[in-house]
Amino acid sequence: MATAEQLEQKSAGIISGQSSEQTTPSETSIASAPTTVDDRPTYGDADSSCSLAQADNAVRSAVSTDMTSLASPLGNEAEDSADEDVDGTPAQIDLENADDTLHQRRRKQTAKFDAWFSQRAKKIVNETPDTQDAILDDEAQSTKYLMKKQESHKIVDEAREYQIQLFEKAKEKNIIAVLDTGSGKTLIAVLLLQWTIDQELERESSRVGEPHRISFFLVDCVTLVFQQYAVLECNLDHPVERFCGDMGCDLWSRETWEKQFRANRIIVCTAEVLYQCLMHGFIRMEGINLLVFDEAHHAKKDHAYARIIKDFYLSEEDQSKRPKIFGMTASPVDAKVDVVTAAKQLETILHSEIATARDLSLLSKAINRPKEQVGIYEPADIDSETPLTKTLKAKCSSLDILTRPFNIAVQAASELGLWCADEMWRLTFNPDDDLRLEHMIERDFIMTRQAPAADALDTRLSVLKEARELVDQHTFEEPQVSKPDLSPKVLLLYQYLQQRFERPTDDKCIVFVTKRFTARLLSELFSRIGRSHLRVGTLMGARAGDIADVRVSVRQQVLTLLNFRKGNINCLFATSIAEEGLDIPDCNMVIRFDLYHTLIQYIQSRGRARHRNSRYIHMLEHGNIGHLVALQEARRGENLMRDFCEALPEDRLLQGNDLDLERVLVNERGRRIHEESGSGAKLTYGSSLAVLAHFVACLPLDPECPPQATYVLSRQDGQFIYEVKLPHIPGESPISSATGRPSTKKSIARRSAAFEACVRLRTAGYLDRHLLPTIERRRPAANNALLGLTGKKRTAYDMKTKPRIWTEGVGSVPSQLYVMVVRLAQPEAFGRPYQPIALLTRAPLAAFPPFMLHFDLGLRSEVLCSSAPSPLQIATDQLKWLTSFTLRMFEDLFNKIFEPDVRQFPYLLAPVLQNVCESDDCLTMIDWNAVSEVHERDCIPWNNDLPPEFFANRFMVDPLSGAKRYFTLAVTPHLKPEDPVPPGVMVKENWKTTIFRYSTSLWSRQRKALEYDKNQPVIHARKALLRRNWLDPVTEKDVPKNEYCYICPEPLRISPLPPGIASMGYLLPVIMFRLESYLLALEVCQSLQLSVKPDLALEAITKDSENTEQHDSEQISFQGGMGKNYEREELLGDCFLKMATSIALFAQNPDNDEFEFHVKRMLLICNKNLLETAISRKLYEYIRTKSYRNNPRAWYPREPKLIKGALLDKKAVQQNMLGDKTIADVCEAIIGAALLSHHESGNYDDAVRAVTEMVNSPEHTMCKWADYYALYQKPTYQTAQATRSQLDLAAQLEKKDNYHFRYPRLLRSAFMHPSYPYAWESIPSYQRLEFLGDSLLDMACVNYLFHRFGDKDPQWLTEHKMAMVSNRFLGAICAKMGFHKHLRFNGTLVQHQIQDYITEIEEAERQADGGRDYWTSVKIPPKCLPDIVEAYVGAVFVDSEFDYRQVERFFNDHVKWFFEDMSIYDTYANNHPTTHLHNLLSISFGCNNYRLLIREIPFLDGSRNQTIAAVMIHDHIVSEGRGQSGRYAKVRASEEALKLLLGTSVADFRTAWGCDCRDGAEEVSVGKQKKKGGERKAVGGVEMEGEEHVPNGKEDGVGLVDVEKLGIAV
């Protein structure tokens, strides 16, 4: 794990990709239920800022200053002055910003979290295994942890005498300590390191300014890095760190390495790591004080040990600047060579002296030496070929890939027995390896063929299939403990193991073999025939397995050793990996099943038998002279080495003198060296291959071009010459090729070519002075661009209030008018006189959909708008009459007088006869009698002689007040004008006099002086309802009170308007408001060349609250009666936008990889781009944010000129406060509306054009769906001739999914894992198709949910969609359809992950017994499984020529069944601990000041990283959680917080955490002014009952005190 200092640099960078200076912790919204990486919810928004927006919503505490609270309608009895408009302007209430310093608060909290994280990280870095054990099990732990968990690495406190002797000698000179395995060589190294560091500290203190020097402990393999690091960390009190190539440290910069060098005193690493640092000039020999070489016998030829000495140590001419050297080995000889000569060569290369214990008897006392025995077995007289082998050989010998298995089968039969030979075939044709074998055949065929020959490949694959069938049909019997099933050699081994493990025992045994297949077969065998107390395992090298072999990782090695140490395994079948270096427990018995080949193998394997009374058994074949010679040479060589070491004088000169050194370095002559004087970097033949490979890996290559250099061999005059070719980069290749110098050795010629290429790259500036590439893999400039928007930023934008259609033809006298009849579908619900009305316009209007008006509780009616089939040819007189009628409507109903200029009217009004048909002639529809009567007289004169029935059913107007309009019912004979106002009529206090005074609007003095007819009738009337928002459903408070009254006719005017028309006229404001909204919505769509239905268009531009986009929050300043808002269409449009841009990018960019697709798509669909488009097109002008109630005068026509009355100030109407994100969301909603408008027909052309208009990019220029496929050029791999294997794949999948592939190679691409080399089959991986299929499947799921659940909000839709497209579900689909069987990959890790998941999901399905949600209880599958499902969908789409119906077919056939009952998934996210915590804090406690922050701690050993999550409440860290990923860490942190908070009262919570979220600026009124007492308030977007915060634990006047404080004994 990284040190605390390293964490400052690395942890945030892994999450955010930023430098340490710019690092901020990753934050997540507690409000959103976490899912997998690709399952994160977007709540209908594809924008990159989505997660931050959700976090803001979760802690929302600020309210825009533009929020308004709606005033109640003015009372009907309100007296207005004579010139007062009938419409009152609603009160505008500006609220204070609830928290102006929200961002400052967050920055402060982030700083606190950083400080807390730094402290926690230090503890975690030094955490003991016991602490970590509670977090992860062994299988999930880091390699470092597993090493720590083994028995203590603490070395004995008191060194033995021989160790002290060698330590003292190492202080004086460079030595190579030659001691047996287990004799304590590492302790000498620890003592020397401690002494060296002490000396270094003294030097630094005495010489201020001296450069810091460090020690390097070098090892030969990765496993030893962790093992020796654990030992040094346990035994030294100085900072130690470890590195190996698997950690990617070979790509680190100089700054990173320098920080490591400054932070540590000792570094444990593989020799290659130090060699790279020296080669790049990151460190020089003068900066190193000690080099420790573990297993020093490897220092020969071109091993990294030898290269460090030859290239850098010896080149430092000032010997005082050279570091001290200490080597350790059990034997200086690891080959069959002369012992003395080899020892002297090792001394020469390491510039050291060999040293051992002066008195070897001390060693024998310190080390338990095993009793060596020889086991003799008879030669095998078994047939070398089993019947199965012979059958396979007869049929399949032509397959090159089976050559090795045939050889192994022969060897296994003769050495192990016939059962092992047949078992080898079963392991070779393991069903899990079927694809692997096919891959190998195709790879070999493709790499060797001269021209395409698909039939030849098919022939090979058919032979392989036949071989597989033969093995599958073969009957494998259980092994018999006798010949010929077992060879005599194995039978002898069986006897040894049976004797040792006959009864329960703690004994441990290692059986050494030389071949990996031997270890595997013996393990399989003894797992069957061994006694119950024998628990076997295998330990093999960490390298890629070949055919009939397995891949073994370092972690698997460590886990095996851990199990061996615990006793879970007591018998290891091991290769040479167990001989050297690894910390293996002392064994009671070591068996050399296969004899050693070198002296050091003998010494090291024997050293494993260190237990008291242990045995070391040599297994020799009877009569085999070679075996006997090997035993004799090993023992003789050991004696010679002992004699050589004992004969060494105590104070001798270095044996490797200058002459010997010259002899060693003679092969180095002629090899060029390039040095950088400034940096100290050095390019040699040995390093050139790595430098060039690193450079090529950084090139911006085509994804189908292998990132590697190609070496071409030729011969010249008997010597070898290599030419290296670099991958081609169109237009910017730095160099194309370089040719090296001739050499008699291929390896040297190859390095010469690489060296020449590196020199040319350095000269051209493509390598810097540290020999690092200056070219990096390019990513688009907008990779890290801020593409997101926030909904909190609000700006004033212009807002259209009138559609453009009203200006068409204005200024001229119309000769024809288009008639639209407006009627109520259920006029009886209106409860008043009713007559249809006609709207006569200069241009034809669209067909408007019905919309609802609400009249009383439970009473409502649709408004039906129908246009006449042909225009009305209008005469001049008729036009004058209609103008008069229209003017009378505005004056008598709304107290507005316009200039009588027919040229300026955008539309006219006319009464319509009852029961007319749409097919009737429009001229006959109009009630011309009523029009004529209105034209002829302004009012109906009144006198006292009129009969009582005259006053029934009249419309009467108060000429002095715009607020008093009456519909008469009948004369009331028993009442007189001077009678008091009858009870039940609400009047002002000072007007409670007479009926006549109630009827007039004169001022008080004028009323008293007024003379009137005291005999006039008193009329029972009903007040006209003014300013009603009939579009909004009626509530109890909206029901009119006391709408009946008594009036006198003298002060009033009898209108000529028919009462039915007058009643209908009072519906006209809301009707026109809605129709003009439709027209504006259609206008914006027409500007985008879209044909959209009016209701869908209006829905797309409607924002009915301040926080419409916050689906899970209480709506702020909700505007009633606006209809549906844009949120559902925005979800649908966002999904289609993602799909459309994905298809476009896929079709037009065949050379882009998946990452480039994602970046380009983000640039297209991000809110920032949509906002820019909307602003450039002025789409913001059309967004509707004000209801009729909040803008009741907006419906009046702007022309002609108004003579009497008032209109709302134009500027106020035309200004709209909008958030940037709202505008972007509306763009997506318009796309959704275009899609929905043609849903029934399945025509996506308008939606495609909408995407083109909105993204405004050359990457998407399509105008119709067919344009996508027209731009797609089939790649060569798709149309090439398919092999029989590819055709067979298509045939198999056609049985699982009813689709026939035209291009089987395209289908194969959907099953190509990225690890599968492109060159093997010349087919790209599934990543591009997966990118496409992901968006297609997403669209299918959203479509299904959207249309089936029309009443669900976007949050519900999004949450349930996430279940449908989650990796967990798609993995289950993959398993159910058997797709995993066809996946082609290169490696066994993926295979094991798939096997584990398939076993679990199949068992879950079986136990579910028909349950459809069984997949929810299963772990997340390997990502490749859901990926290939998406890639398959993408392949079907492409193969069908972009036919989306095939995607829907796949959804209906394979996905829909699982989600027919969506209720079973309602708790899929809601029961998540993080969601539970959010609800507890925001709803139960009313707190909005909380955050969930995460940071990642990188492991430097290549193991899985660990993530810390913390819950912060009011600046306090409440809980933490740790896991392998941020998702698991957040879950654990939330669970811990819930344990702490559940059951806590609100008062206790506030006291404990200082929560005051309910006070001050955090308080927000929702859609109304604040009331006294018991009001509801919105806090953090959550509505809660209001209550005051009471300090000191008091709530509702009751003091709450902890029992302990009262001193009461419990």
Side-chain angles (χ1 to χ4, degrees), residues 944-954 968-973 1017 1019:
N944 210 8
D945 297 330
L946 292 174
E949 58 269 18
F950 171 82
F951 294 100
N953 197 25
R954 294 287 181 179
T968 63
L969 301 175
V971 172
T972 309
I1019 304 170

Side-chain angles (χ1 to χ4, degrees), residues 143-156:
T143 308
K144 173 188 174 181
Y145 164 78
L146 293 173
M147 285 292 188
K148 271 192 169 185
K149 191 173 181 181
Q150 298 185 38
E151 64 187 33
S152 174
H153 293 279
K154 187 70 178 178
I155 303 176
V156 292

Side-chain angles (χ1 to χ4, degrees), residues 1356-1407:
W1356 187 95
L1357 296 175
T1358 300
E1359 288 176 350
H1360 288 72
K1361 182 206 75 171
M1362 296 313 297
M1364 301 173 77
V1365 299
S1366 66
N1367 282 347
R1368 185 178 270 115
F1369 171 68
L1370 294 181
I1373 288 291
C1374 180
K1376 192 172 186 66
M1377 298 186 71
F1379 280 1
H1380 62 283
K1381 300 176 182 178
H1382 308 289
L1383 179 64
R1384 300 214 159 195
F1385 52 85
N1386 184 32
T1388 57
L1389 180 60
V1390 174
Q1391 175 184 340
H1392 295 323
Q1393 292 173 343
I1394 293 174
Q1395 287 175 343
D1396 293 343
Y1397 173 76
I1398 295 300
T1399 300
E1400 184 175 347
I1401 191 69
E1402 289 178 347
E1403 177 63 20
E1405 183 179 11
R1406 185 186 66 80
Q1407 294 183 2

